Amino acid sequence: MASNMRATPTGSVEGTNNKIKVIKRVAYGFRSFANFRIRILLALPNTYIAINWKNK
């Protein structure tokens, strides 16, 4: 019920998840999780995750 009280668009979140899933499928040969994470951050430069990662 609480989720229906606000009309928040979920398109951007679904788009981000879709990009991560595509990278995950293509990233079969990555040697480490760090490389996989860097690839995601490069693909999504203006997201909340990437912005917070740059500030650390």
Side-chain angles (χ1 to χ4, degrees):
M1 280 298 207
S3 63
N4 291 336
M5 294 189 156
R6 280 195 223 163
T8 55
T10 58
S12 61
V13 175
E14 289 182 18
T16 299
N17 286 338
N18 187 30
K19 282 186 179 181
I20 291 172
K21 286 179 184 180
V22 169
I23 293 169
K24 191 174 171 183
R25 275 186 240 126
V26 173
Y28 179 71
F30 285 175
R31 293 177 181 253
S32 67
F33 179 76
N35 290 344
F36 175 64
R37 184 170 185 265
I38 290 169
R39 178 63 182 96
I40 290 172
L41 293 174
L42 287 172
L44 306 168
N46 295 325
T47 60
Y48 177 76
I49 298 167
I51 292 170
N52 283 340
W53 180 70
K54 291 176 187 174
N55 290 334
K56 288 185 179 181

